[in-house]
Amino acid sequence: MDARLEAIRDTVLARNPGEGEFHQAVTEVFESLGPVHDRHPEFLEGAILERLCEPERQIIFRVPWVDDAGRFQINRGFRVEFNSALGPFKGGLRFHPSVNLGIVKFLGFEQIFKNALTGMPIGGGKGGSDFDPRGRSDAEIMRFCQSFMTELYRHIGEYTDVPAGDIGVGGREIGYLFGQYKRITNRYESGVLTGKGISWGGSLVRPEATGYGTVIFAEEMLKTRGLSFDGQRVVVSGSGNVAINAIAKAQTLGATVVACSDSSGYIVDEAGIDVALLRQIKEVERGRLKDYEARRSAVTYVDGGSVWDLDATVALPCATQNELDGAAAARLVRHGLLAVGEGANMPSTRDAVAVFQEAGILFGPGKAANAGGVATSALEMQQNASRDSWSFAHTEERLTEIMVGIHDRCAATADEYGDPGNYVLGANIGGFVKVADAMLAQGLI
Ligand code: NDP
């Protein structure tokens, strides 16, 4: 890492002790930015990096709620409003027991660059809670969401901060959150949340957008080597919103997706995952992946283990951070891997990224490859602002244009900085320069 940047990075790490994922995300971005600071000394003079690493505002709050047995429960809520140089803070809410400030900060930091890459007018933020939705009834989820919003509402707004979903937060949760916001504020402010239902201000394609976008990005990477998804053997991790829609899109493009996972295990279906069945189990019945095995022939369910023990020509990690390590990456490379598209945020460890890059694997980092979700959220905000709703075909066309644009911008930036094919460098520099220019223009705030 450039020595000037290393000194700033060390200060950031010391000021934010115990936030391992945040440290990892900051280090990864800083490693790309040396050459930018040679060309733009004004970014150092303007203390851009120091300001970028210090969120504009961090909110931590108590979320009290009552479970079905009448017991009082207390969780912790977070919203980190990281950077509003390009627009209102924008980023999802994650409900998962692992959520803590360091995780929310890593996600919010990544979100700044991702949102800049989309070309849409959105800043970066992220939030969530250590609430575990697994095994909770619908009524418990509703009461939790209502309590969460009873504090959050005062910090968000169409022009301030616009949350959306992430792990553990889908259409159902956004509905309860929106309802409570509307009730407290007495405003039908559609643009305050995205991922809404289609009849009350949502956008077509938003549920599919992250997974579809990841596959569109990966298809563009494959094209640079004269390849495509057609005929590829694909392994996907996760079986949530991003994973299911990535599977659907990859198979539409002619790939066979042979496996996907959840935190308990994975299924192997050599004939190609039956997306309709998977949606039924996960989205309608809210069941577990294990249930898939009994309902389709020639399927194996592996309890525990890692889906990355399987061979694939294309890997789409779509579950969570640091789920694919250096040893798994090396194994995949030895067994014929061509490309990786990160549907999740930071699913590959730094060791894994190094293995992929040294082996010349096409590697699309999450902040570029999974930007389709937030980009379509910005399209939802556009529709809300103009009180309009677009067709599926039109919205999907916009999503495709945006993803191809992100791919091309990352590739062109990597070329410009002398490292063709390095999408990590391209994404980090491409996103950073846009935000840094806006921050300089807006003065020391
Ligand atoms: P969902 O909650 O819909 O699904 C998450 C999936 O990942 C589930 O299969 C879950 O398994 C698995 N998973 C979650 N945590 C772990 C863990 N600690 N270990 C193993 N598996 C785990 O979330 P999404 O699909 O929305 O999000 C997946 C990833 O994509 C996240 O990294 C998120 O930040 C990222 N992302 C999401 C966007 C969106 O639009 N939703 C946008 C951009 C990025 P189980 O059910 O067993 O917990």
Side-chain angles (χ1 to χ4, degrees):
M1 185 185 301
D2 182 294
R4 299 162 300 178
L5 274 54
E6 196 169 6
I8 301 169
R9 194 277 313 257
D10 290 348
T11 308
V12 172
L13 266 50
R15 277 166 64 80
N16 298 278
E19 297 178 355
E21 291 84 0
F22 179 52
H23 296 178
Q24 183 183 343
V26 167
T27 300
E28 189 249 303
V29 169
F30 276 38
E31 273 170 349
S32 301
L33 298 183
V36 178
H37 288 82
D38 294 336
R39 291 190 196 181
H40 296 279
E42 69 276 17
F43 291 160
L44 283 174
E45 287 152 23
I48 294 295
L49 287 173
E50 291 88 335
R51 286 197 272 153
L52 255 181
C53 294
E54 188 65 31
E56 290 182 32
R57 192 175 297 113
Q58 306 183 57
I59 302 145
I60 304 180
F61 52 98
R62 179 168 66 209
V63 189
W65 58 283
V66 182
D67 69 18
D68 285 348
R71 282 187 298 260
F72 291 2
Q73 300 278 350
I74 306 297
N75 284 97
R76 187 171 291 170
F78 301 90
R79 187 70 186 167
V80 174
E81 298 181 333
F82 230 112
N83 192 292
S84 63
L86 299 182
F89 306 105
K90 182 91 196 84
L93 298 170
R94 175 177 292 190
F95 292 168
H96 192 271
S98 64
V99 167
N100 57 39
L101 184 60
I103 287 187
V104 178
K105 280 169 69 177
F106 119 65
L107 290 164
F109 186 73
E110 291 277 291
Q111 198 83 45
I112 303 170
F113 307 101
K114 179 190 308 193
N115 293 4
L117 284 170
T118 65
M120 314 295 279
I122 41 179
K126 199 83 186 188
S129 174
D130 59 1
F131 171 69
D132 187 356
R134 238 212 267 172
R136 290 294 177 191
S137 71
D138 220 44
E140 288 177 317
I141 299 282
M142 182 174 73
R143 287 196 295 275
F144 177 82
C145 288
Q146 290 177 339
S147 181
F148 187 85
M149 184 53 84
T150 300
E151 172 59 33
L152 187 69
Y153 88 94
R154 68 187 89 245
H155 307 291
I156 62 176
E158 183 182 348
Y159 298 104
T160 316
D161 183 353
V162 183
D166 190 80
I167 291 178
V169 179
R172 172 180 59 167
E173 292 74 18
I174 293 293
Y176 296 147
L177 291 163
F178 183 70
Q180 185 74 348
Y181 181 85
K182 185 163 65 73
R183 181 187 189 197
I184 295 172
T185 60
N186 193 29
R187 286 161 62 86
Y188 204 108
E189 189 185 336
S190 301
V192 70
L193 288 170
T194 58
K196 299 182 294 298
I198 206 64
S199 63
W200 43 279
S203 174
L204 288 167
V205 190
R206 177 62 189 91
E208 294 85 0
T210 308
Y212 277 26
T214 300
V215 170
I216 295 167
F217 189 95
E219 176 87 343
E220 292 304 301
M221 292 199 299
L222 288 164
K223 279 188 198 163
T224 65
R225 298 202 178 154
L227 301 165
S228 75
F229 261 94
D230 195 19
Q232 302 296 345
R233 177 185 167 89
V234 179
V235 169
V236 173
S237 63
S239 50
N241 170 272
V242 179
I244 292 173
N245 291 295
I247 295 168
K249 185 71 173 178
Q251 297 202 143
T252 304
L253 294 179
T256 305
V257 181
V258 296
C260 67
S261 64
D262 62 17
S263 57
S264 310
Y266 61 89
I267 51 164
V268 184
D269 185 345
E270 290 287 347
I273 303 240
D274 179 338
V275 177
L277 176 60
L278 185 63
R279 281 193 197 281
Q280 173 66 24
I281 292 170
K282 298 293 296 187
E283 295 178 345
V284 180
E285 299 167 19
R286 296 190 184 275
R288 303 292 296 161
L289 200 51
K290 190 177 188 341
D291 305 338
Y292 182 98
E293 186 188 25
R295 289 160 69 172
R296 192 164 145 90
S297 57
V299 172
T300 315
Y301 174 76
V302 180
D303 200 18
S306 166
V307 76
W308 304 123
D309 291 341
L310 301 170
D311 297 348
T313 55
V314 178
L316 301 175
C318 298
T320 194
Q321 64 275 358
N322 292 329
E323 51 154 304
L324 200 172
D325 64 15
R331 218 200 54 75
L332 284 164
V333 168
R334 278 198 307 278
H335 289 85
L337 185 74
L338 300 168
V340 180
E342 291 191 327
N345 285 307
M346 210 169 73
S348 311
T349 64
R350 292 184 63 221
D351 287 351
V353 177
V355 168
F356 292 141
Q357 291 193 317
E358 273 158 32
I361 303 296
L362 293 163
F363 177 75
K367 65 171 75 71
N370 72 33
V374 76
T376 309
S377 276
L379 299 179
E380 182 173 333
M381 291 163 72
Q382 280 187 16
Q383 293 169 73
N384 294 153
S386 58
R387 308 221 187 281
D388 197 1
S389 68
W390 304 342
S391 68
F392 193 97
H394 174 69
T395 318
E396 192 179 19
E397 198 180 309
R398 293 286 312 267
L399 169 66
T400 305
E401 268 169 29
I402 291 168
M403 292 313 300
V404 172
I406 295 173
H407 171 273
D408 293 353
R409 215 164 305 130
C410 292
T413 307
D415 287 349
E416 186 190 336
Y417 280 85
D419 197 353
N422 186 341
Y423 291 94
V424 174
L425 187 90
N428 287 337
I429 294 183
F432 171 77
V433 170
K434 201 161 175 218
V435 178
D437 281 340
M439 288 174 73
L440 275 187
Q442 292 170 18
L444 181 60
I445 54 168

